[in-house]
């Protein structure tokens, strides 16, 4: 059941998601690729995913398996971003025909 407080929280979460999206776009357009930038982007991807799953997809009360699977995705994806940044040649060698 939604109350006025829940709508206010939803609005703040939405504003935070928009701010993170704009911040990521600004970083992507202006910053030189580095480990720090990649860490920031990976953390933003994970946090945004977690907020969307918990607040907008309403999976907070879903079956634990479904919620765990969705949250695991937002742990694995940022880790993959970091691995691809740290080891690009090794990944390219693995995917070469």
């Amino acid at each position: 059941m939604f109350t006025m407080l829940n709508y206010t929280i939803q609005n703040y979460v939405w504003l935070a998601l928009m701010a993170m999206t704009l911040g990521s776009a600004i970083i992507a357009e202006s910053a030189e690729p580095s480990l720090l930038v990649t860490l920031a982007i990976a953390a933003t991807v994970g946090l945004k995913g977690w907020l969307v799953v918990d607040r907008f997809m309403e999976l907070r009360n879903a079956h634990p398996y479904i919620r765990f699977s969705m949250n695991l995705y937002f742990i694995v994806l940022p880790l993959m971003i970091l691995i691809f940044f740290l080891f690009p040649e090794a990944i390219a060698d693995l995917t070469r025909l």
Side-chain angles (χ1 to χ4, degrees):
M1 179 174 196
F2 278 107
T3 63
M4 193 59 161
L5 178 62
N6 285 340
Y7 284 124
T8 303
I9 291 171
Q10 293 287 86
N11 288 338
Y12 286 131
V13 169
W14 184 83
L15 288 172
L17 288 168
M18 292 298 107
M20 285 187 277
T21 300
L22 290 173
S24 295
I26 291 169
I27 289 172
E29 291 296 324
S30 62
E32 292 295 320
S34 69
L35 181 58
L36 185 61
V37 170
T38 305
L39 281 170
I41 297 298
T44 302
V45 167
L47 181 59
K48 284 173 59 177
W50 177 70
L51 286 171
V52 168
V53 165
D54 267 0
R55 294 291 176 174
F56 293 104
M57 292 178 71
E58 297 183 8
L59 291 179
R60 182 176 295 178
N61 299 321
H63 189 276
Y65 178 74
I66 294 171
R67 184 179 167 150
F68 175 77
S69 300
M70 289 299 293
N71 284 326
L72 185 65
Y73 177 80
F74 296 111
I75 294 170
V76 171
L77 186 64
L79 287 175
M80 288 179 63
I81 291 170
L82 291 173
I83 289 170
F84 287 136
F85 178 79
L86 293 172
F87 308 107
E89 292 86 13
I91 301 296
D93 288 343
L94 289 173
T95 60
R96 205 169 279 137
L97 295 178

